[in-house]
Amino acid sequence: MKEITLCLTSCNRWSLLEKTIDSFLRLNKYPIKEYLLHEDSNNEEMFNKIQHKYGHLFKIFRPENNVGLLKSIDNLYELVNTPYIFHLEDDWEFKGNCNFMEESLDILENNFNIHQIWIRKGIPNDWLEPKNHNNFRMVKQSHYGDWTGFSFNPGLRRLNDYKLMFPNGYSEYHDITKNSALNEHDCNLVTIKYNYRAAILNNSACIHIGENQSTYK
């Protein structure tokens, strides 16, 4: 059985975070070796709530000052010692496919040109290749110009791919003059150089619940 570390980024959104964690724990059936959470706020009350409810399960990290999303992710990934990471943000509700982790793992084990698996509901059909690979479809080679599926949405990925493509971390591509989607796009350009693409499960496992509620700077 392949070992997986869950890495969750959070920033002062207790109600969303609670729904995210509780729904994940209800739906996921695959054993997680370690749970890591980065709370990127200096809100003592928020930290205490997390510690009280989830301190028995999560190792919780909190910087002295807000470091932003990309550095928060890097801080967690530096602590990972398993071959796989399940990346998670604090504004998703898990429902649907209870085998999403096993199916995602099987795809990554057998398709080395895929660098991450999407599990969210509602991906437009025209973003995807028409061919159905049993339980998944590939994101088109290029969509919206040069986008091939890199995302910080929830999903499984390999630690070694991160180390290969981003030896200085995602935060190397953090630009305060750009919004988060453009920073994500710059990371996408890196994955293209390695001929990587994303795939999405046919049977989804989560929905986004934090639209327009970002607290990251």
Side-chain angles (χ1 to χ4, degrees):
M1 181 173 287
K2 300 296 182 178
E3 294 182 332
I4 298 172
T5 298
L6 185 145
C7 293
L8 195 164
T9 56
S10 170
C11 188
N12 205 30
R13 301 194 293 184
W14 170 251
S15 62
L16 292 173
L17 175 65
E18 185 179 36
K19 182 171 286 187
T20 298
I21 295 176
D22 289 351
S23 63
F24 176 87
L25 295 176
R26 284 194 301 267
L27 188 65
N28 175 55
K29 306 302 180 186
Y30 193 92
I32 301 297
K33 181 180 180 182
E34 190 167 37
Y35 291 83
L36 307 177
L37 190 156
H38 190 285
E39 171 54 38
D40 195 33
S41 75
N42 56 6
N43 186 332
E44 189 72 23
E45 181 181 2
M46 177 70 179
F47 178 79
N48 289 338
K49 284 181 177 179
I50 299 171
Q51 186 67 46
H52 177 73
K53 184 166 183 178
Y54 302 112
H56 68 287
L57 183 63
F58 280 85
K59 291 183 179 178
I60 305 165
F61 304 90
R62 181 181 58 163
E64 292 184 3
N65 300 296
N66 181 282
V67 298
L69 177 60
L70 301 191
K71 184 59 177 175
S72 295
I73 298 170
D74 290 337
N75 287 346
L76 290 182
Y77 283 19
E78 288 175 2
L79 302 172
V80 174
N81 58 16
T82 61
Y84 289 95
I85 296 169
F86 186 80
H87 176 84
L88 183 55
E89 303 163 307
D90 62 351
D91 57 356
W92 296 85
E93 183 177 3
F94 285 79
K95 55 174 63 176
N97 180 10
C98 65
N99 296 314
F100 68 93
M101 198 72 78
E102 293 89 336
E103 292 180 11
S104 298
L105 185 59
D106 182 67
I107 294 167
L108 289 181
E109 284 282 287
N110 292 286
N111 298 273
F112 294 99
N113 63 323
I114 297 174
H115 69 284
Q116 61 180 249
I117 310 298
W118 286 24
I119 61 171
R120 67 178 294 176
K121 182 179 177 62
I123 298 299
N125 193 59
D126 64 354
W127 291 15
L128 308 171
E129 289 186 347
K131 183 178 180 180
N132 187 0
H133 300 266
N134 188 20
N135 63 344
F136 73 95
R137 291 167 68 186
M138 298 284 289
V139 172
K140 287 180 178 177
Q141 184 62 45
S142 59
H143 186 67
Y144 286 149
D146 51 14
W147 183 72
T148 57
F150 180 89
S151 173
F152 292 123
N153 283 186
L156 194 66
R157 55 211 62 193
R158 304 179 194 92
L159 176 62
N160 282 343
D161 289 344
Y162 168 75
K163 290 181 175 180
L164 172 67
M165 293 187 290
F166 302 96
N168 298 315
Y170 293 133
S171 52
E172 181 179 5
Y173 299 91
H174 176 69
D175 186 338
I176 60 173
T177 68
K178 298 179 179 180
N179 64 33
S180 59
L182 291 177
N183 287 320
E184 189 176 71
H185 175 264
D186 289 343
C187 291
N188 175 79
L189 297 179
V190 177
T191 68
I192 291 174
K193 295 178 182 178
Y194 290 87
N195 199 33
Y196 280 128
R197 277 190 284 164
I200 181 169
L201 290 184
N202 292 337
N203 191 358
S204 63
C206 66
I207 59 172
H208 191 214
I209 57 175
E211 196 69 36
N212 300 317
Q213 297 183 56
S214 176
T215 53
Y216 279 105
K217 298 177 182 179

